[in-house]
Amino acid sequence: MGQATTKKSLYPWMYPLAGICSAFVLFSTAQAVSAFFGTASAPLVALGSTIIDFTPAWVKDQAISLFGTNDKLFLFVVLSLVAALLAAVVGLVAKRSLAAGMALVLVLAAILSAAVMSRSATTAQDLIPTVIGTILGLGTLKFLTGLAARNAPTSEDRSADSAVSRRQFMLGAAGSVAIGLLAIGATQALRGARKVAETARSALGLPPAKVKAAPLPSGADLNVPGVSRFITPNNDFYRIDTALSVPNIDPEQWTLRIHGMVEEEFSLNFNELLGMDLVEHYLTLTCVSNPVGGDLIGNAKWLGYPIRELLARAKPLPGADMVLSTSIDGFSASTPLEVLTDDREALLAIGMNDEPLPLEHGFPVRMVVPGLYGYVSATKWVVDLEVTRFQDKTAYWTTRGWSEKGPIKMSSRIETPRSFAKLPSGTVVFGGTAWSQHVGISKVEISIDDGPWQEADLSTDVSADTWRQWRYEWNGATPGNHTATVRATNSQGELQTDVPAAPAPNGSSGWHRLQFSVE
């Protein structure tokens, strides 16, 4: 059965290239076929998601600190490079024995299939893209290694026939790449035709809020160049989640199940949610992976329904102390029940900054909860709320060593000037933001060159659940190297701690400090 040969190939690179072309066909055609199935049926997406699931918390935190919101792109690039390397090895093995090379492809297919089946809401039919891709990949490997074997020299001919065989191989390789590219093009076309969620979002008119957010007061935004605006535009809002491919959810098919330790279990559909008494609320969201001075934070106006009203209808039983929220992609978050039932505006959100939720931010429905880091509260694409107990259930990141409750720590940052900036002498304008969600900021101070603390000007307070901007002018800046440090005080008189802490396991802390020079 094998194409093994003891003859030395004139072009040994053909076999690794045959393996790489075969892998390209496998993944590209499987990706195209996956357009007819669930998002997680795409084998590369499923494998990447599985890798994220088993990634240690410190590795995930390091990836976010290095690549920020490009962490998923980085993972895809690494996966592609590793896949190419393994495919080249498969090609070299196939040089010795085609059967052995094909067996390695089947082992890879089994791993990919296991990754697909490990995803939430997948069924056996979601394996079809992997099966089809594997069959085509095996066929490509057999065809190209057969062409490569013809380049093994014989005593009768070392030139003419070999040149013909080489051309045939290159044409075969080019053909396989063309098939893969056509599959990629087909994938984009199919996705364009099947963008149910995007089409529904575009057609959705948000209902008016029964309780509208008050107009922003004068001075809510200090308009300091280089400082984040009070409202973060949707396109600029940070995105950190575990979904490698954004779920494509038809709102007409969306339902939310509320169950567990409750007197009344029930389900809610999207049209029912639209008809409820919706409210608007300004709320700053923060990622637990945000380092001191980091940018994994944003503020928006959210439209939704108070989660406490849903829980009041469900009537939690005595002893319940947690709500486990679950996304359609399998992510889960553990939120203290008391946080979702007190007077704060924890919302089942459908709108963001006067638009339907963007797809990547949870369309059609997500959770937003004041005062808690997103990993324990801000579940996107939410489909399930289970009232339970911390001692009985654990959530996605708490099983990976992160704190189970995640209250946001007070913090402040200098956004202008930037670290190591070179500034002209005279007046230096400092600016930034500070936050202590659900408590509020009352004061921000800055220290130049470790000198006395000077109080900065604050923007008008909008809500205890949002950040505040600050501004300070340093007049008479002298040439040389300088440092600046910022700290905040909340509305309860508590001073921001100067004790440094890494993001894991419950959020970073410490005073933001930077260096700059005046020329």
Side-chain angles (χ1 to χ4, degrees):
M1 174 177 176
Q3 305 260 359
T5 178
T6 57
K7 303 169 185 176
K8 185 176 181 181
S9 174
L10 287 174
Y11 307 102
W13 48 265
M14 288 184 174
Y15 289 95
L17 182 58
I20 292 172
C21 290
S22 302
F24 184 56
V25 170
L26 188 160
F27 284 110
S28 59
T29 54
Q31 186 74 23
V33 176
S34 71
F36 296 99
F37 299 89
T39 302
S41 67
L44 196 60
V45 172
L47 182 61
S49 300
T50 303
I51 290 173
I52 289 177
D53 287 349
F54 290 96
T55 298
W58 68 269
V59 176
K60 169 257 185 189
D61 192 57
Q62 188 68 21
I64 292 176
S65 66
L66 289 174
F67 304 104
T69 54
N70 292 317
D71 57 335
K72 297 176 181 64
L73 174 61
F74 172 73
L75 177 59
F76 270 125
V77 170
V78 171
L79 277 178
S80 298
L81 292 175
V82 172
L85 179 61
L86 292 177
V89 172
V90 168
L92 289 173
V93 171
K95 177 184 177 183
R96 294 283 182 181
S97 170
L98 178 59
M102 296 179 78
L104 287 179
V105 174
L106 292 175
V107 170
L108 172 62
I111 294 173
L112 295 174
S113 298
V116 169
M117 293 306 297
S118 72
R119 311 319 303 158
S120 175
T122 54
T123 62
Q125 70 176 9
D126 289 304
L127 294 176
I128 293 176
T130 301
V131 172
I132 293 176
T134 300
I135 292 172
L136 294 176
L138 288 171
T140 303
L141 180 66
K142 182 177 181 180
F143 175 66
L144 291 180
T145 52
L147 292 178
R150 298 180 186 178
N151 284 275
T154 66
S155 58
E156 291 80 14
D157 180 29
R158 292 177 178 269
S159 56
D161 289 347
S162 179
V164 172
S165 297
R166 185 178 74 252
R167 286 194 295 271
Q168 290 176 338
F169 176 85
M170 294 306 297
L171 287 173
S176 66
V177 171
I179 291 173
L181 292 176
L182 286 173
I184 292 174
T187 301
Q188 298 304 316
L190 289 169
R191 284 183 174 176
R194 294 172 60 85
K195 288 182 178 178
V196 177
E198 187 171 312
T199 301
R201 180 184 182 274
S202 299
L204 178 63
L206 290 177
K210 181 179 181 180
V211 179
K212 295 185 67 66
L216 290 179
S218 175
D221 201 322
L222 296 178
N223 296 312
V224 179
V227 174
S228 302
R229 301 281 71 86
F230 177 75
I231 294 294
T232 307
N234 290 353
N235 289 338
D236 296 335
F237 209 96
Y238 79 94
R239 178 197 165 195
I240 298 293
D241 52 54
T242 62
L244 283 181
S245 181
V246 175
N248 184 31
I249 305 173
D250 182 354
E252 291 296 323
Q253 303 300 319
W254 177 87
T255 58
L256 176 70
R257 182 187 178 205
I258 297 93
H259 64 109
M261 296 178 63
V262 296
E263 292 183 18
E264 181 184 343
E265 295 188 358
F266 65 95
S267 294
L268 179 73
N269 65 40
F270 192 67
N271 286 328
E272 289 173 329
L273 181 58
L274 291 178
M276 292 180 169
D277 293 336
L278 306 180
V279 302
E280 287 181 336
H281 186 59
Y282 292 106
L283 171 62
T284 297
L285 295 185
T286 310
C287 180
V288 71
S289 296
N290 197 38
V292 172
D295 59 1
L296 299 180
I297 180 171
N299 186 63
K301 181 171 70 173
W302 305 92
L303 172 69
Y305 187 71
I307 297 175
R308 65 172 176 270
E309 301 296 339
L310 291 176
L311 294 175
R313 174 180 167 184
K315 301 181 180 65
L317 297 174
D321 61 6
M322 185 257 276
V323 174
L324 185 71
S325 56
T326 303
S327 166
I328 198 169
D329 73 337
F331 171 83
S332 59
S334 55
T335 309
L337 179 62
E338 61 180 347
V339 171
L340 296 178
T341 53
D342 63 15
D343 61 353
R344 75 186 73 196
E345 292 296 351
L347 300 179
L348 201 61
I350 63 169
M352 181 179 182
N353 291 333
D354 299 317
E355 297 179 9
L357 286 173
L359 268 63
E360 63 272 20
H361 289 293
F363 182 84
V365 184
R366 66 169 295 167
M367 290 172 60
V368 292
V369 181
L372 297 182
Y373 288 117
Y375 82 105
V376 294
S377 65
T379 303
K380 302 174 184 176
W381 314 290
V382 62
V383 294
D384 190 276
L385 298 180
E386 180 184 3
V387 179
T388 181
R389 301 186 300 179
F390 280 103
Q391 69 183 55
D392 296 334
K393 295 291 181 71
T394 53
Y396 186 93
W397 284 117
T398 52
T399 60
R400 291 159 174 80
W402 293 78
S403 170
E404 63 182 10
K405 295 185 178 180
I408 293 174
K409 297 179 181 179
M410 173 173 35
S411 192
S412 56
R413 63 180 180 179
I414 303 171
E415 297 183 59
T416 186
R418 295 294 184 179
S419 293
F420 306 110
K422 294 182 179 180
L423 309 172
S425 59
T427 299
V428 175
V429 177
F430 293 88
T433 43
W435 56 91
S436 181
Q437 281 102 317
H438 206 56
V439 178
I441 292 292
S442 63
K443 182 168 65 175
V444 172
E445 299 169 293
I446 187 171
S447 171
I448 309 296
D449 297 330
D450 296 320
W453 289 98
Q454 304 293 328
E455 189 166 347
D457 296 324
L458 284 177
S459 62
T460 304
D461 192 15
V462 175
S463 164
D465 295 328
T466 63
W467 59 16
R468 295 183 74 177
Q469 299 174 351
W470 60 270
R471 182 182 186 276
Y472 178 78
E473 285 190 11
W474 181 34
N475 297 309
T478 57
N481 296 323
H482 300 279
T483 64
T485 308
V486 67
R487 69 183 187 185
T489 300
N490 68 21
S491 61
Q492 296 177 350
E494 178 186 0
L495 179 66
Q496 177 186 343
T497 180
D498 63 341
V499 178
N506 59 359
S508 63
S509 68
W511 293 343
H512 187 207
R513 180 183 179 91
L514 58 79
Q515 295 181 332
F516 63 98
S517 62
V518 174
E519 299 178 333

